[in-house]
Amino acid sequence: MGFARTCSVALVGVEGVVVEVQADLEPGVAAFTLVGLPDKSLTESRDRVRAAVVNSGAEWPQKKLTVGLSPASVPKSGSGFDMAVAAAVLGAAERIDPRVLADIVMIGELGLDGRVRPVRGILPAVLAAAEAGYEQVVVPECAAAEASLVPGVSVLGVRSLRQLIAVLADEPVPEEAQDEPGRPDPLLAGLRMPGTGAATGMYGMGAAQHEHDLADVVGQESARTAVEVAAAGGHHLFLEGPPGAGKTMLAERLPAILPRLCRAESLEVTAVHSVAGLLPPGRPLIDVAPYCAPHHSATMQALVGGGAGFARPGAVSLAHRGVLFLDETPEFSSHALDALRQPLESGHVVIARSAGVVRFPARFLMVLAANPCPCGRFSQKEDLCECPPSAIRRYQGRVSGPLLDRVDLRVEVERVTRSQLTGSGGDATTVVADRVRAARERAATRLTGTPWRSNSEVPGRELRSRWYAAPGALEDAERSLERGVLTARGLDRVLRVAWTVADLVGHDRPDGTDVALALQLRTGVPRGVPMALGASR
């Protein structure tokens, strides 16, 4: 009779639960039983582990073998338990000292030839192990850089089960043949999750920034100001205008002016993309704001997350700490759009499925873009639209009022004139990014000691009772509330935007001009204030 145990991690969304993998050998007819609520892919590990052990030069025990995954009440899925199961079996067979295995967490899939393959979710799994107090982790060699992002954990990267056995048994470690340079690595196959329903792109300070420079956008002074305010305070933005006016250009350039992610934010974003299988090759840590732009045919599950079994992260989670751009917003399903209302308020999304309940982070900056009518030519200044009034009302009504009430900035993007097109653009991305960074630093200094990091997160009651605007600055906003132009939520959002404008222009607190600009960006009604920010204001 032999017994050994080691540990692995079961992921539920981006949260992990440490699982004890126990192996017990008893005299009897040779059999392999796996218990502990495994799914289909985990049940199939019996055949993978047996073939990997034999092909690694170890002897498979010809006894009654029972492998238990504890706690048994937690559903386990995926192939990341293979390495832990193999190590526990070899410990029970005394090929490896069982005492060496007890305090090690192992994560990785085994090929039939004994090679260790990476799995999705390495970073959140190692984070869960560290939070549970484990200090030693074994992962696939190609995922060691991702696992090493977690401080206080000793990471061992192995390429094969043969190497793992040698390390644990204190034997010479064999060299594994490396693939020829330039050839695709078969160990990385299958890491990307198909059918996520969203496209992501990373824009930061580098080559991508030169491809998406704000200086390319000509004219559109009010829209450029709104983009800068949105970046400085984390405010949601709605751009409405005819086709070709620059709505998509502005949205694509927004991530480049956002500040780089701090260490904690980088780990949050990387964990989500690791679970989704969307980590860029060679970049274990995402330190720039992600950009997610799903097609307007995306379903509710693609936007907020879902799928069979345990839910996958949706576009709102892939855009965590970044930008979610919904182009052609009225073409999205109304049910899918209204599903965004809850994560916009809470900063996370909770999805219940038959296999369990998962929670994904979803604190993103939302940018909506829409044409004013089906033909796109409706305007208050020109009579070029051929759509009947009923079609215009029906088209504009596809975006619900409660969703728009959660959008702080609403700007009309006007058609670009010939003189604007032949003229020079505005400030470049680097210039605007510097102003945004300075405004964020001012807000962070003011919010020191609070749970909030940007103006968009501060509750309205705190702004009214703790941080006061200049005397008389809110008179126009309060009159708009009395006339029904603003809701109570809308008034709070105007005040948040006013604080962001004050941070951008260097005011200690919002004055009447800052509030007037915030009102203009919220309602679209001109207030006679200049739209330019920074030194030019």
Side-chain angles (χ1 to χ4, degrees), residues 33-38 66-70 72 76:
T33 304
L34 182 64
V35 297
L37 217 56
T66 303
V67 174
L69 308 175
S70 179
K76 292 90 179 175

Side-chain angles (χ1 to χ4, degrees), residues 14 123-124 127 145-151 261-274 279 284-287 320-321 361:
V14 293
L123 178 60
L127 282 170
E146 180 182 346
S148 299
L149 297 173
V150 181
L261 304 179
C262 67
R263 181 72 176 186
E265 293 170 340
S266 295
L267 290 177
E268 290 177 3
V269 174
T270 303
V272 174
H273 284 72
S274 177
L279 279 183
L285 183 67
I286 298 175
D287 60 354
H320 180 58
R321 302 295 180 187

Side-chain angles (χ1 to χ4, degrees), residues 120-187:
R120 293 184 287 265
I122 289 288
L123 178 60
V126 177
L127 282 170
E131 292 174 359
Y134 290 88
E135 299 178 352
Q136 291 182 297
V137 177
V138 180
V139 298
E141 184 181 63
C142 54
E146 180 182 346
S148 299
L149 297 173
V150 181
V153 176
S154 175
V155 177
L156 171 63
V158 295
R159 193 170 179 84
S160 68
L161 180 60
R162 186 182 296 105
Q163 287 185 342
L164 176 63
I165 295 173
V167 171
L168 297 178
D170 197 17
E171 299 172 354
V173 180
E175 291 290 337
E176 295 290 341
Q178 299 287 336
D179 294 321
E180 296 179 8
R183 292 189 61 185
D185 190 348
L187 294 180

